[in-house]
Amino acid sequence: MMTIWNAVTSLGDSAITVPGAFVLAIWLALNGAWKQAARWLFYFCCAMLLVVISKLLFMGWDIRPPFINFTGISGHTASAAAVYLSAAFLFGRERSPHLPLVLLGIATALVLTVGASRLLLHLHSESEVIAGLMTGAIAAWAFCRSYDVAPGRLSAKWAPAILIAALLLGTGGKPAPTHDLLQEIAMKLSGREQAFIRTEPL
């Protein structure tokens, strides 16, 4: 059962979601929606910056909200929410009347499942997953709300280029070493020999 949840949680790993974010931007740019591509990257990067800052504050200085088990926003959940909800919006736009709702429902279920996997694998607390959901969903909402291209389908003729980009940007299924990297950065910034770690049980 844990193998299944490990597979699910990998869908929120930055080894998949970060290339996915750039693939969405490339797709928009190739369709002439340069402004929208820049906006998407801006909102996605803002969400990921919040995740990084929240983790560095804890790892380096033990700064966190009081009275809750919190060591930083769940990056898996935040990036999954931002990428998959935005992708559902783009892929369903201006197609059959019911497709956007169907895709949004699928994306929402996927994001919630990724969040649940972080809890079931004892990698995050409830507060961290909820914060991740809110961070990613707000980024996706801001992007979708700012999308001002004239109605019309985004061309699918760039699908081969998108696929190649995804393969080139991916890491062959290996998790990105973001946690270890953030620990090293936190120690250098704070001057500590060891980063703060979670002490409360999940």
Side-chain angles (χ1 to χ4, degrees), residues 12-43:
D13 193 275
S14 56
I16 292 178
T17 56
V18 171
F22 280 96
V23 165
L24 285 182
I26 292 169
W27 185 42
L28 287 166
L30 289 175
N31 278 276
W34 291 94
K35 185 186 296 184
Q36 284 65 39
R39 284 177 181 172
W40 158 243
L41 288 178
F42 171 76
Y43 289 124

Side-chain angles (χ1 to χ4, degrees), residues 64 67-70 197-202:
R64 52 179 170 161
F67 311 120
I68 59 174
N69 190 349
F70 190 87
I197 60 173
R198 189 192 307 275
T199 56
E200 301 173 59
L202 287 173

Side-chain angles (χ1 to χ4, degrees), residues 11-25 36-52 75-87 135-144:
L11 296 175
D13 193 275
S14 56
I16 292 178
T17 56
V18 171
F22 280 96
V23 165
L24 285 182
Q36 284 65 39
R39 284 177 181 172
W40 158 243
L41 288 178
F42 171 76
Y43 289 124
F44 179 77
C45 288
C46 283
M48 295 303 98
L49 183 60
L50 286 176
V51 171
V52 169
H76 279 64
T77 314
S79 61
V83 170
Y84 298 134
L85 293 177
S86 297
T135 301
I138 289 172
W141 173 83
F143 165 67
C144 296

